[in-house]
Amino acid sequence: MYRFQDVARPAATAAKHFVGTSLRMASSICPGEYAAPSVETSVPGPKSKKLLADLSQIQQSGSVQLFADYNKSLGNYLVDIDGNVLLDVYTQISSMPLGYNHPDMLKVLDSDENKRAVVNRPALGVFPAADWPVKLRSTLMSVAPKGMDSLTTMMCGSCSNENAYKNMFMKYQRDKRGGTSDFTDLEKESCMINMPPGAPKLSILSFKGSFHGRTLGVLSTTHSKYVHKLDVPAFDWPIARFPEYKYPLHENLKENEQEDERCLVEVEELIEKWEKKGNPVAGIVVEPIQSEGGDNHASPYFFQKLQKIAKKYNAGYLIDEVQTGGGPTGKMWCHEHFDLETSPDIVTFSKKMQTGGYYLKNEFLPDLPYRVFNTWMGDPTKIVLLDAILKVIKRENLLSLVEKSGDVLMSGLRDLEAEFPALINSTRGRGTFITFDAADAKLRDDIVKRLLTKGVQSGGCGVVGIRMRPALIFQPHHAHMFIDRLRQVLAETE
């Protein structure tokens, strides 16, 4: 089997977590959904522009694209305040697993018990409710990656990665002490003034093109766009090359295999170089698909070998599933496509999982309280929503639907590549987590804007990528709708 076979297409099997249910009719998956997009004004329309002017007097709002009417948005359709009904293949940057106003999620708030969970938000690290352990077991732990028995809940993707890095540093130093956390007086004193040995020189290896968040520590491992990083001090940590494949994959097997090997050799060289600099690598962080950086893929072989390298140098192996987790690749966790020898050491999540956090192997847990801690440590109300989401995923067999809809998207996009080879290329993805490239950045931005005029909300990534991040309820007829409107845009370009 070619090592690149799985990169372009998902396997034709349902994910291990949710199997055995036949697909329901569209009305069951999303009752009452709009039949098609409808564009009444420009996007953004006059009402959105007026509100944008108001908001700009309060805060920096240059990133705002439109103002939504969340009372009217439904299923796969985002409705803006000007009445435009948009097929949303971007879904709040990949964070809406069941689309808008799903009845099962709305029903959750009918419960007085759940209302009290909203009103009485606890400091989970010290005062959790009596039902907290069972809620975690029935939700987050019910879909935990195989071999990962521990969990830390957090608020968002950035703080999940930020604290997961701390777990890797603490475990690395604990190993150096012989497995204990018996700190010396010098360590206690020196850490208070940010000096070694209490504040040791350690590093995290990351990859060019990666995105792991915008908070201070994780910014040193984010390398997707300069706007995220300018003016902010950064750590002296190693940055390895991430594979840059040639497409179509089946026509470039030898070149892509060589690319894997070049990148893996560089990883080892950098680890050894930073060891000699007195700044050893305590962990490796990698996205299963580099999302913000351009939807860059790597082969299962690359991730397998990377795990072996991490183990060789006693570095933690963290897979950042903030954007890929929760089902959009056809499996609950994208790294399940890679047939790793063992589970990663840490897997971070957020977005479709509603709350932030990370799974970790037991040996990466701190052995003292308050070492990874904040006031809220997550949000019980998000776990309530996640419970409803997971039940719908299972009941409607949505991961199988993701594969079917993804096949339609991939096939349609490759047909468009053949039809418009000068305009788009390099279609790639797993499930409905799909991207294609425009010929240049200007054309990419133009396609995204003109898709809006056809009633499609999409998004860019990297320099020339156009990414799709639809909800798990995105069906084959939605995929055909997207392909038809993209074809119109491309036909108007030539």
Side-chain angles (χ1 to χ4, degrees), residues 207-208 240-244 259 263 286 290 296-298 302:
F207 291 87
K208 295 175 183 177
R241 176 178 175 177
F242 193 80
E244 297 178 10
E259 177 69 358
C263 294
V286 65
Q290 283 191 336
N296 307 312
H297 288 252
F302 174 83

Side-chain angles (χ1 to χ4, degrees), residues 43 92 106 200 309 340 368 394 402-403 437 460:
V43 183
Q92 309 292 322
L106 293 173
I309 291 171
L340 297 177
L368 293 172
K394 182 177 181 179
V402 164
E403 291 182 339
D437 288 345

